[in-house]
Amino acid sequence: MVTFLKHAKSRNYTSEFELCRQEAVPVEFGEYHPLKPITVTESKTKKMGRKGSTSSTSSSSSSSMIDPLSSVLDGTDPLSLFAATADPVTTAATTDSTRKKRDKDDILAVGSDFEPWSSKRGEILARYTTTEKLSINLYMGSEKGKATTPGSAVSEKVRTRLEELDDLEEGSQKELLNLTQQDYMNRIEDLNQSLKDAWASDQKVKALKIVIQCSKLLSDTTVIQFYPSKFVLITDILDTFGKLVYERISSMCMDNRGSLPDNFTPESVNDTAKETCLNWFFKIASIRELVPRFYVEAAILKCNKFLSKTGISECLPRLTSMIRGVGDPLVAVYARAYLCRVGMEVAPHLKENLNKNFFDCLLTFKQMHGDTVQNQLVVQRVEIPLYLTLYSPAIDWILQCIAYRAPEILLTEMMERCKKLGNNALLLNSVMSAFRAEFIAARSMDFIGMIKECDESGFPKHLLFRSLGLNLAMADPPECDRLQILNEAWKVITKLKNPQDYINCAEVWVEYTCRHFTKREVNTVLADVIKHMTPDRAFEDAYPQLQSIIQKVVTYFHDFSVLFSVEKFLPFLDMFQKESVRVEVCKCIMEAFIKYQQEATKDPVILNALLHVCKTMHDSVNALTLEDEKRILASLINGFIKMVSFGRDFEQQLSFYVEARSMFCNLEPVLVQLIHSVNQLAMETRKLMKGSHSRKTAAFVRACVAFCFITIPSLTSIFARLNLYLNSGQVALANQCLSQADAFFKAAVSLVPEVPKMINIDGKMRPSEPFLLEFLCNFFSTLLIVPDHPEQGVLFLVRGLLNVIQDYTWEDNSDDKVRIYTNVLHLLSAMTQETYIYHIDKVDSNDTLYGGDSKFLTEINKLCETVIAQILDHLKTLGQEETLKRQSQLALYFFNSILAHGDLRNNKLNQLSVNLWNLAQKHGFADTKTTVKTLEYIKRQSKQPEMSHFTELALRLPLQSRT
Amino acid sequence: MEGSVNLQLSAKSVGVFEAFYNSVKPIQVINSTIEMVKPGKLPSGKTEIPFEFPLHMKGNKVLYETYHGVFVNIQYTLRCDMRRSLLAKDLTKTCEFIVHSAPQKGKLMPSPVDFTITPETLQNVKERASLPKFLIKGHLNSTNCIITQPLTGELVVENAEAAVKSIELQLVRVETCGCAEGYARDATEIQNIQIADGDVCRNLPIPIYMVFPRLFTCPTLETTNFKVEFEVNVVVLLHDDHLITENFPLKLCRV
C-alpha cells in the first residue's frame, strides 16, 4: 500500500463563490411560499456541499421568535391557505356549478342551511331516556325461515302468503315484557334488520307486516318519557321501508333506456311499475288502524311521483287532516312532525301544508290539559313540566320547517297566534329554538315579557331563558336593550334553585354577556356562578357546562391582561377540582393564549396566572400519560414560553427561564425549548452589544452558557443532546466563551459512542446512522473554526472525534464510515487554506493562530494520509462480487472529493484519482450519465486559468462504453 | 273462456244442510271455445300463439263485473287445454281475468247526507238513561259513490261525556240470493277502517276517507236472481264499551 502526501488544493473562496453563485432569488411578495413568515433569500448553487452550509441555515433560524406552529393556529395555516387557493380555475368552476345547482335547488329542494333531521336524531335519543321497563307487542308470524325459493311455483308463493296470513290471524302474538331501554333499542334494530332481510329475500308481505307492527308501537304511550326516542327509532325503520319501496319501483322502470332521470314525469313510468305502486297504496289504504296506516302511507309518500304529478300535493293535505283523528296529543304532534319531515324531503315547496299542520296542532293544544291526558300522567307518575318537554322536539321540528326561508310576515303571524294561546310556554320555547336568531334577538324584550307572564306550573322557565340565551348568542339584540335584557334575564336565572337548571341557563347567558359587555359584568356573572355552584360541591356534576363557560370567556376576551384582571376568573378555575377536567380547561386557556396573544408580554399578572396554568398541565403528566398528550401539553407550554419577553431586562428573562426549568422538568420538549430560548437570549445580548461584550454582559452570557450546559444532560433523547451541545457550543463560541465551547464539543464527542444503532422515531424503530451522519457533517463544519486549545495538541477535537468514529460499531453493510472519512478530508483540506471560508467575529481560528505554520500543515497531512489509507482499505474489502456496486459508487464519490479539494498537479494524487476512476468503471457498475457529466465538468474546468492540468487529466480518464 | 255467477245460500237463512246441498246452480253467463292451433307439431323453443275472444253473452245474459264475495262470486276464467297423443298427458292451465264494465254514461248526481248522532237518535237501546251524553255531527259528501274514488266526508265530535276510544268506518256488503224458497239476504263486513284513535279533540272535524278495495267491491248490482249492495257503518266506540253505529246504504257505480 502506497502512502502518499495529500496535497490540498489552495482555494480562493471569494472568487469561487462569485463564480458559483447565481443571483439570489427573493421570494416575491404575493408569491406563495411555505416558509413565508420568515424572510429567506434562496440562493441556488450548482453543486451542493461545495461551501460550508452552516451560514445558510443560521440565516433562516435567526429571524423572529414566531413559532411556525403557532402561526398555524393563527389561521394562516399555509396548507389550508394553499388548499384554498389551490387551483383557482377548478375551484371557480365548481363554485360556479354549485351555485347554479343551488339556484335550482332553491325551488326543488332544501339547501344546506336547513338543519337536517339526522342532526336532531342523536340529541333526542340522548335526551329522552328512561329506566322504566318497556314492552314490545308484536303480532308477527314466527320466523320459520320461509324464504321462498326463487323457482317455486306461483301456487307455492300463494300458499306461503296464506300461511303468513294465518299466522297473523291465529295471533301468534309475541309480547316482550320487561325490556330495558337498551334491549328495546336492540329489538328495534333487529326489526330494522329483519325488514331489510325480508325485503332482500322477496318477502314483501312480511316486510310490510313488520313496518305496520312497528308503526303500531307509535300509538302506544306507555312509558311516555321514552316516546320521543321511540319515535326516532321507529321512523328510522319507516325511512328504510320508504326507500326500499321507492327504489324497487324505480328499478322496475329501468328498461333498455337505463334508469329514470331524477326529475322524471309519470308519463315515463311504465304500466307494471304503476300497477305495483298502485297496489302498495291499495294495500296500505286497507290497514285497519289509523296510526300505522298514516305512518306507512307517509313513508312511501315519495312513490306518488310515479302515479301523477299532483299526487304528493293532493296527498299531503289529506294526511294532514287524517292526523286529526289521533286522539293522544303527543302521538298526534309526532305524527305531524313526521309528515313535515317527509314533506320537506319530498316536496319542500309545499309550504301551506306545514302551516296547516301547525295550526291544527295549535287547535289540539287544549287537549294537553284534558282529563284523558292528565289521568294518564297520574298513572305513569309523570310531572306536567316533564311531560311538556316531551313535545319540544316535534314542535321545534315543525316550526323549523315552517321558518325555513320564510318571510318575516309569516313569522310575525305565527308569533301572534302563539300569543293568542295565552303565551303558552311550550310554544314560546319552540318558537325561540326554531325561528331565525335575528328575528328573536330583535324582539328579545317582548320575549322576556312573554316568558315572565308564563304559567309557573307549566313548561320549565329555565328552558325558556336558555332558548332565548341561545338566540342572543347568535344574533345581536338592539343596542339600547342590551343591558336591560341581561338584567331581566339574570334576575330570573339567579333565582333558580336547582344547580343543574341554573348552570344550563347560565352557561348560555355567559356568552351573551361576554359578547356585549365589559369585564365588570362578566365578573359579576362569574361570581354568581361560583356562588351557586359551590354549595354541596354542585360543580362536580356540572363540569361540562363550567368548561364551556371558560371556553366562551376566553374566546371573547383576547386580551389576557384584561382577562386575568377579572377578579373571579381564577377563583372560577378553582372549581375544576377533578384533575382531568382541570387539565382540559388549562389546555383550552393556553390554546386561546397562543392563538390570540399578538406580542410577547412581561405582564406579571399574566405570567403568574399562566405559569400556574402551565404548572397544572405539567403536573398532570405521569407515567401513564400518552405520548400524544405530552406532546400537546409541551407545545402549549412552549408557546407560552415563547411569548414571554422582558424586553431588555435580560437578567430577568434568564431567571424566568430558570424558574420555568424547575417547573417543567418532566416535559423534555419544554427543556429543549428552554435551552434554545436561552441560547437565543445569549445571541440577543451579543447583538445588543454589537459583538463586543462588556464585563457584565460577558458574565451574563457565561451564565446563559452554564444554564445550557447543566440542562442538556437531563434530556434522554440522544440526538437532542448532541444537537443541543453543538448548538450551544456554537453560541458559546460566538460569544467568545472559548473554554465553554470546548467543553460543549468535548461533551458531544464523548456522547457519540453512546448513540444506539436503532432509535425510536414516532413510535417506530429506525436505524440511527443517517441521523448520526448528518450530525457529524454538521459538527465537522463547526470544528473548522474552533481554535485549538493551547494546552492540548494540534486539532485535538478533530482527532478525538476521528477516534470515536473509528471505534464506533457501524453497520456491517454500510459505507457511512467511509463517507464520513471523505467528508473529513474536505474539512482537512479546508483547514490547510490560508484563510478559512468562514469565521466567527472576534474569534481567532486556526488559520490566524498558526498562520500557515508548516508543522501544523504536516500534522494535517499526516491525518489525511491516515484517513485516505482507511478509505482505500475499505474500498479493498468491497472487492467481493456482491459489493462491487458499492465499491464503484464509493470510488466515484472519493474521486469527486479529490477532484474538488485535492491539488491534482501532484503526480501521486493525480495517479490515485485516475486509479479511482478506473476502479469505479472496472466492473460496469458506474452510472454512465454521472461519469459523462464528471468528464464534461473536468473539461470545462480545464479552460480556466491555472487549471490547464485538467486537460491532461481528462485525457487520462477513459470513458467506459456500455457493453 | 268461461264466466259464471256462483251463488251460495247462507247457513243462517236456510239451515245447514240445505245450504250445503241446495246451493243454487251456478249461472253461466259466458262460455266459448276456440281452437288456437290445428293438430300438428309445435316447433321446439318458445312459441307464442296470439288469440282473441269476443265477449259474447249467452242468450240475454248481462256481462257483470268481476266480484268476489261470500255468497256471490262472479268470476271469469280462461282455460287452455293442450291435447296430446295417447302416451302423454293432456296439459291444462287456468287463469282468472278481471272484467270491469264499461263506464256508465251520464253524470252521477252527488247525494250528500248530513247526520247527527245523539243518545236520542239511537234505536234498539235498552237503557237509554245509562247512556253517556254525546253529540256527534257529520256528513258524507255523497252516498252515490264512484267505485274508483274514495268515500269522503267529515265527522265532528262536538261533545261526549265518555272518552272516545275509536271511530271506525265499516264497509259492508249485502248480498241477496233469490231461490225457490224465497230469498236470502246477508250482510258481511268487507273492511274496517279506523278514522280516529283515542279521545279525539272536540269540535275538530275528522276526515272520513275510505278507498274501496278492488275485487271485493263492484258497482251495485241488482238482477232477478241476486243482488249485491254495499253499506257503510260509522262506528263510534266509547271508553265504557258503548258501541254506537250509524248505517248508510251506498250506491256504487263506475263513471
Side-chain angles (χ1 to χ4, degrees):
Chain A
M1 177 74 220
V2 199
T3 58
F4 48 81
L5 218 57
K6 154 107 189 186
H7 283 266
K9 176 164 74 175
S10 66
R11 318 265 297 255
N12 184 344
Y13 287 120
T14 15
S15 64
E16 258 179 63
F17 187 59
E18 290 297 319
L19 207 70
C20 303
R21 192 172 66 168
Q22 291 198 333
E23 72 280 35
V25 186
V27 180
E28 271 171 47
F29 181 69
E31 208 177 329
Y32 164 73
H33 193 278
L35 300 175
K36 194 68 195 296
I38 307 164
T39 18
V40 178
T41 41
E42 201 177 35
S43 53
K44 289 179 186 160
T45 45
K46 265 187 204 157
K47 284 244 159 90
M48 293 305 288
R50 205 50 198 301
K51 54 193 176 71
S53 60
T54 32
S55 58
S56 68
T57 46
S58 61
S59 78
S60 59
S61 63
S62 68
S63 62
S64 69
M65 295 254 289
I66 301 167
D67 172 12
L69 288 178
S70 69
S71 69
V72 166
L73 293 173
D74 233 340
T76 59
D77 169 11
L79 285 179
S80 59
L81 274 180
F82 181 62
T85 60
D87 194 345
V89 185
T90 53
T91 41
T94 47
T95 47
D96 208 356
S97 68
T98 46
R99 186 177 316 128
K100 258 185 220 155
K101 204 172 163 217
R102 241 239 316 276
D103 289 347
K104 214 166 87 184
D105 285 354
D106 272 349
I107 327 159
L108 290 174
V110 278
S112 55
D113 49 340
F114 185 75
E115 192 188 355
W117 173 255
S118 49
S119 69
K120 304 253 178 193
R121 221 185 139 262
E123 208 178 299
I124 296 174
L125 285 180
R127 188 168 155 201
Y128 298 97
T129 56
T130 182
T131 50
E132 301 265 326
K133 294 293 180 195
L134 300 154
S135 62
I136 298 185
N137 222 338
L138 294 174
Y139 299 83
M140 205 89 64
S142 53
E143 283 152 51
K144 292 183 209 154
K146 275 182 214 140
T148 44
T149 44
S152 66
V154 185
S155 59
E156 185 113 317
K157 237 185 208 166
V158 172
R159 201 187 313 143
T160 42
R161 280 193 190 167
L162 286 176
E163 270 173 21
E164 280 175 35
L165 285 173
D166 280 348
D167 276 348
L168 188 71
E169 265 138 44
E170 278 162 25
S172 58
Q173 168 179 353
K174 257 198 281 184
E175 193 169 7
L176 300 159
L177 292 166
N178 281 334
L179 295 172
T180 64
Q181 186 182 325
Q182 192 53 47
D183 290 343
Y184 192 89
M185 289 165 89
N186 293 343
R187 281 296 308 173
I188 302 268
E189 188 37 50
D190 287 351
L191 283 173
N192 202 353
Q193 196 50 49
S194 52
L195 165 67
K196 284 181 198 160
D197 292 347
W199 191 270
S201 58
D202 211 36
Q203 295 170 272
K204 306 275 156 32
V205 176
K206 186 177 169 195
L208 179 62
K209 231 160 35 172
I210 292 174
V211 174
I212 294 175
Q213 295 303 326
C214 286
S215 32
K216 211 182 265 181
L217 295 176
L218 282 176
S219 58
D220 170 26
T221 53
T222 47
V223 196
I224 204 159
Q225 57 272 45
F226 184 64
Y227 191 83
S229 295
K230 182 157 82 173
F231 171 77
V232 168
L233 294 172
I234 289 173
T235 50
D236 279 353
I237 296 186
L238 287 167
D239 288 346
T240 314
F241 176 72
K243 218 166 66 202
L244 288 173
V245 174
Y246 185 83
E247 278 166 7
R248 160 131 176 85
I249 298 175
S250 168
S251 72
M252 293 175 82
C253 306
M254 225 173 346
D255 48 8
N256 39 23
R257 283 167 300 166
S259 59
L260 281 178
D262 274 349
N263 47 352
F264 61 92
T265 53
E267 289 81 54
S268 59
V269 178
N270 63 34
D271 285 347
T272 345
K274 268 187 184 160
E275 191 60 27
T276 316
C277 187
L278 212 54
N279 252 330
W280 276 110
F281 280 110
F282 269 112
K283 223 174 266 176
I284 289 164
S286 65
I287 297 173
R288 206 191 85 83
E289 278 166 281
L290 174 68
V291 175
R293 182 153 30 95
F294 163 76
Y295 273 105
V296 179
E297 185 167 359
I300 64 160
L301 184 68
K302 201 178 176 188
C303 296
N304 272 302
K305 278 204 215 163
F306 294 112
L307 295 178
S308 73
K309 264 191 168 156
T310 52
I312 292 174
S313 57
E314 284 161 9
C315 247
L316 275 173
R318 185 169 56 75
L319 287 172
T320 305
S321 54
M322 192 166 154
I323 302 174
R324 290 179 170 195
V326 179
D328 191 298
L330 189 68
V331 177
V333 84
Y334 275 93
R336 289 185 195 286
Y338 185 65
L339 188 60
C340 290
R341 185 170 123 201
V342 176
M344 277 308 265
E345 209 176 284
V346 177
H349 53 284
L350 298 172
K351 298 262 186 209
E352 314 87 76
N353 185 57
L354 301 172
N355 299 349
K356 188 160 179 287
N357 258 311
F358 182 64
F359 294 145
D360 269 5
C361 181
L362 292 186
L363 289 175
T364 57
F365 250 56
K366 52 181 188 279
Q367 270 185 293
M368 285 178 210
H369 302 286
D371 291 341
T372 322
V373 171
Q374 296 299 325
N375 292 341
Q376 196 187 3
L377 294 187
V378 172
V379 173
Q380 295 198 29
R381 280 169 308 200
V382 174
E383 301 277 328
I384 284 277
L386 175 70
Y387 174 69
L388 290 179
T389 56
L390 298 179
Y391 284 83
S392 288
I395 300 185
D396 284 1
W397 179 259
I398 297 173
L399 281 173
Q400 190 196 329
C401 293
I402 292 175
Y404 179 66
R405 293 191 183 158
E408 196 96 330
I409 312 162
L410 180 72
L411 302 187
T412 326
E413 192 201 327
M414 294 283 170
M415 279 255 318
E416 289 308 315
R417 291 242 190 181
C418 299
K419 268 189 192 166
K420 271 189 205 139
L421 273 171
N423 277 335
N424 193 301
L426 168 61
L427 267 180
L428 206 53
N429 188 47
S430 295
V431 165
M432 285 192 287
S433 43
F435 283 13
R436 283 192 289 273
E438 297 78 30
F439 179 85
I440 309 289
R443 294 164 180 71
S444 23
M445 280 315 286
D446 290 351
F447 274 98
I448 289 190
M450 285 190 273
I451 295 173
K452 277 192 187 159
E453 281 167 34
C454 283
D455 187 12
E456 279 293 337
S457 64
F459 196 80
K461 259 188 190 178
H462 64 268
L463 290 183
L464 291 171
F465 273 105
R466 189 183 142 82
S467 304
L468 182 60
L470 282 173
N471 280 301
L472 292 177
M474 282 186 285
D476 302 335
E479 186 84 49
C480 49
D481 288 347
R482 287 181 188 171
L483 187 62
Q484 206 188 345
I485 291 170
L486 182 64
N487 283 334
E488 293 289 341
W490 205 264
K491 226 188 275 170
V492 181
I493 296 170
T494 193
K495 279 184 200 138
L496 292 171
K497 294 267 169 6
N498 182 339
Q500 208 59 35
D501 294 349
Y502 170 81
I503 194 67
N504 279 332
C505 236
E507 177 205 346
V508 172
W509 280 86
V510 163
E511 183 159 8
Y512 173 70
T513 320
C514 293
R515 202 175 153 114
H516 298 297
F517 300 98
T518 59
K519 65 170 192 176
R520 196 172 73 90
E521 287 81 2
V522 175
N523 192 37
T524 322
V525 169
L526 290 184
D528 195 58
V529 175
I530 295 174
K531 201 177 90 193
H532 273 82
M533 300 312 287
T534 318
D536 301 327
R537 299 177 69 80
F539 51 77
E540 283 179 342
D541 299 324
Y543 283 137
Q545 290 93 333
L546 293 174
Q547 216 172 327
S548 112
I549 290 183
I550 290 287
Q551 203 133 29
K552 281 163 187 161
V553 171
V554 294
T555 24
Y556 283 97
F557 283 81
H558 293 178
D559 186 344
F560 273 70
S561 57
V562 175
L563 179 64
F564 286 118
S565 64
V566 174
E567 283 163 35
K568 292 292 178 187
F569 187 73
L570 290 178
F572 194 92
L573 287 186
D574 288 338
M575 281 202 291
F576 298 98
Q577 296 194 351
K578 190 172 155 199
E579 181 162 48
S580 58
V581 185
R582 207 176 162 79
V583 171
E584 278 307 308
V585 172
C586 290
K587 270 182 172 158
C588 155
I589 296 174
M590 286 317 295
E591 270 161 20
F593 177 77
I594 291 169
K595 192 168 165 190
Y596 297 122
Q597 187 69 23
Q598 299 292 338
E599 42 198 48
T601 178
K602 60 171 180 178
D603 184 335
V605 180
I606 297 182
L607 292 193
N608 251 325
L610 288 184
L611 268 180
H612 175 72
V613 168
C614 288
K615 177 103 179 98
T616 314
M617 294 201 295
H618 169 264
D619 291 351
S620 74
V621 173
N622 56 32
L624 294 177
T625 314
L626 296 173
E627 279 305 316
D628 265 351
E629 175 74 7
K630 277 195 209 164
R631 200 171 8 230
I632 292 168
L633 293 179
S635 78
L636 288 174
I637 298 178
N638 283 348
F640 165 60
I641 290 174
K642 281 186 215 158
M643 289 314 271
V644 174
S645 162
F646 290 89
R648 292 184 61 166
D649 192 348
F650 291 147
E651 305 255 346
Q652 178 117 39
Q653 184 93 30
L654 184 60
S655 66
F656 169 76
Y657 289 142
V658 173
E659 193 186 348
R661 182 177 61 185
S662 67
M663 269 181 166
F664 307 125
C665 55
N666 284 337
L667 285 170
E668 207 154 283
V670 178
L671 292 181
V672 172
Q673 174 61 42
L674 282 171
I675 294 168
H676 281 306
S677 296
V678 169
N679 277 336
Q680 176 135 16
L681 187 62
M683 292 311 280
E684 291 277 318
T685 321
R686 178 176 180 270
K687 200 165 132 198
L688 197 74
M689 298 306 289
K690 302 210 173 62
S692 40
H693 284 293
S694 69
R695 204 198 222 165
K696 198 176 160 197
T697 55
F700 173 73
V701 166
R702 278 198 287 277
C704 290
V705 171
F707 174 96
C708 298
F709 194 72
I710 55 172
T711 313
I712 294 172
S714 64
L715 301 174
T716 53
S717 159
I718 193 137
F719 278 101
R721 266 189 284 168
L722 283 174
N723 286 320
L724 283 172
Y725 272 135
L726 180 58
N727 215 328
S728 308
Q730 288 165 345
V731 170
L733 206 57
N735 285 296
Q736 297 120 44
C737 306
L738 297 186
S739 55
Q740 283 86 345
D742 266 351
F744 278 118
F745 296 138
K746 266 188 230 164
V749 169
S750 53
L751 196 58
V752 170
E754 288 174 34
V755 174
K757 278 237 166 83
M758 306 291 270
I759 50 166
N760 188 342
I761 295 165
D762 294 335
K764 276 186 191 155
M765 294 308 283
R766 298 271 164 92
S768 63
E769 260 177 36
F771 297 94
L772 188 58
L773 190 65
E774 187 189 320
F775 167 74
L776 288 174
C777 294
N778 197 353
F779 198 5
F780 283 131
S781 307
T782 311
L783 284 181
L784 173 64
I785 45 164
V786 178
D788 277 344
H789 195 278
E791 285 159 25
Q792 312 280 2
V794 176
L795 298 181
F796 164 72
L797 283 170
V798 178
R799 282 168 196 278
L801 193 51
L802 279 175
N803 286 337
V804 168
I805 292 167
Q806 173 79 31
D807 296 340
Y808 186 79
T809 39
W810 297 88
E811 290 283 345
D812 290 337
N813 53 357
S814 96
D815 305 320
D816 285 337
K817 187 173 166 186
V818 175
R819 278 177 217 283
I820 291 170
Y821 279 147
T822 323
N823 289 345
V824 170
L825 285 183
H826 302 172
L827 169 69
L828 293 174
S829 128
M831 278 183 159
T832 56
Q833 304 301 323
E834 246 168 68
T835 16
Y836 289 169
I837 182 166
Y838 43 83
H839 286 104
I840 286 180
D841 199 20
K842 300 215 163 41
V843 174
D844 289 331
S845 297
N846 287 342
D847 52 346
T848 6
L849 284 184
Y850 295 111
D853 183 69
S854 60
K855 264 189 194 163
F856 175 64
L857 291 181
T858 330
E859 280 293 323
I860 293 180
N861 277 338
K862 266 191 206 156
L863 263 180
C864 278
E865 274 168 37
T866 329
V867 171
I868 289 177
Q870 290 270 351
I871 296 173
L872 293 178
D873 267 350
H874 185 83
L875 279 177
K876 239 190 215 166
T877 59
L878 290 178
Q880 264 86 40
E881 185 73 35
E882 60 272 24
T883 51
L884 284 176
K885 190 172 185 186
R886 278 163 57 197
Q887 189 190 38
S888 150
Q889 279 172 350
L890 272 186
L892 201 60
Y893 185 61
F894 189 30
F895 171 81
N896 279 332
S897 293
I898 295 179
L899 201 62
H901 299 280
D903 184 359
L904 288 172
R905 278 170 297 199
N906 176 292
N907 278 338
K908 278 185 178 169
L909 204 55
N910 205 325
Q911 186 55 48
L912 175 66
S913 60
V914 173
N915 288 345
L916 282 171
W917 179 261
N918 289 332
L919 179 65
Q921 292 191 316
K922 192 168 163 191
H923 298 285
F925 282 108
D927 179 21
T928 329
K929 233 184 202 170
T930 326
T931 47
V932 170
K933 275 201 172 159
T934 315
L935 211 57
E936 269 171 23
Y937 167 75
I938 295 171
K939 282 175 187 160
R940 209 168 47 237
Q941 285 292 311
S942 65
K943 292 190 182 108
Q944 297 197 9
E946 296 175 37
M947 298 295 242
S948 48
H949 58 281
F950 266 45
T951 331
E952 197 188 323
L953 177 69
L955 292 175
R956 294 180 60 192
L957 299 179
L959 198 62
Q960 195 191 40
S961 61
R962 284 249 156 211
T963 47
Chain B
M1 180 181 60
E2 191 182 27
S4 65
V5 178
N6 274 299
L7 301 177
Q8 176 151 29
L9 294 178
S10 148
K12 252 191 293 179
S13 40
V14 281
V16 183
F17 292 106
E18 273 179 309
F20 197 73
Y21 292 111
N22 219 3
S23 66
V24 185
K25 238 173 93 186
I27 310 163
Q28 211 169 43
V29 282
I30 198 163
N31 191 2
S32 56
T33 315
I34 52 166
E35 188 184 52
M36 286 162 73
V37 186
K38 291 220 156 60
K41 262 195 168 176
L42 289 177
S44 62
K46 194 174 170 183
T47 312
E48 283 186 13
I49 306 161
F51 67 91
E52 62 180 356
F53 273 109
L55 289 175
H56 283 315
M57 306 315 297
K58 272 179 109 182
N60 55 351
K61 300 273 176 15
V62 192
L63 187 69
Y64 305 122
E65 279 203 21
T66 299
Y67 165 77
H68 292 261
V70 181
F71 304 110
V72 178
N73 262 307
I74 307 175
Q75 202 174 14
Y76 297 88
T77 51
L78 270 177
R79 200 178 76 218
C80 177
D81 291 324
M82 182 159 77
R83 310 222 176 277
R84 299 201 285 180
S85 61
L86 278 169
L87 291 171
K89 266 188 184 170
D90 294 349
L91 294 178
T92 303
K93 188 97 186 167
T94 324
C95 167
E96 180 179 359
F97 68 95
I98 291 169
V99 173
H100 279 178
S101 59
Q104 288 151 15
K105 294 257 164 54
K107 255 197 175 166
L108 184 80
M109 287 305 287
S111 50
V113 190
D114 289 325
F115 60 88
T116 309
I117 316 173
T118 60
E120 288 71 37
T121 61
L122 297 179
Q123 296 152 4
N124 85 52
V125 188
K126 279 176 193 141
E127 293 167 69
R128 205 170 286 272
S130 71
L131 271 181
K133 280 197 183 126
F134 57 86
L135 171 61
I136 298 166
K137 283 186 176 172
H139 68 268
L140 293 178
N141 288 339
S142 173
T143 53
N144 289 341
C145 300
I146 304 168
I147 199 161
T148 51
Q149 303 285 314
L151 171 78
T152 53
E154 246 178 17
L155 180 143
V156 188
V157 180
E158 292 201 349
N159 63 60
E161 268 181 0
V164 178
K165 201 173 181 182
S166 171
I167 302 177
E168 285 153 22
L169 296 176
Q170 191 181 30
L171 181 65
V172 174
R173 60 191 148 215
V174 183
E175 294 162 316
T176 314
C177 304
C179 65
E181 291 88 30
Y183 68 95
R185 182 186 154 96
D186 290 287
T188 43
E189 176 184 302
I190 303 175
Q191 72 172 9
N192 195 340
I193 294 286
Q194 191 183 35
I195 57 165
D197 176 25
D199 197 14
V200 289
C201 192
R202 306 290 183 258
N203 287 319
L204 190 69
I206 297 163
I208 290 175
Y209 182 92
M210 181 167 65
V211 177
F212 294 111
R214 294 188 292 189
L215 294 182
F216 301 106
T217 51
C218 65
T220 304
L221 203 56
E222 234 170 297
T223 68
T224 43
N225 294 337
F226 64 95
K227 277 201 274 189
V228 181
E229 293 157 304
F230 298 92
E231 290 175 357
V232 70
N233 290 328
V234 174
V235 183
V236 180
L237 201 64
L238 297 181
H239 241 289
D240 44 13
D241 282 337
H242 278 102
L243 187 103
I244 306 155
T245 308
E246 187 79 10
N247 178 271
F248 304 92
L250 299 178
K251 188 168 162 29
L252 300 187
C253 57
R254 203 178 284 278
V255 171

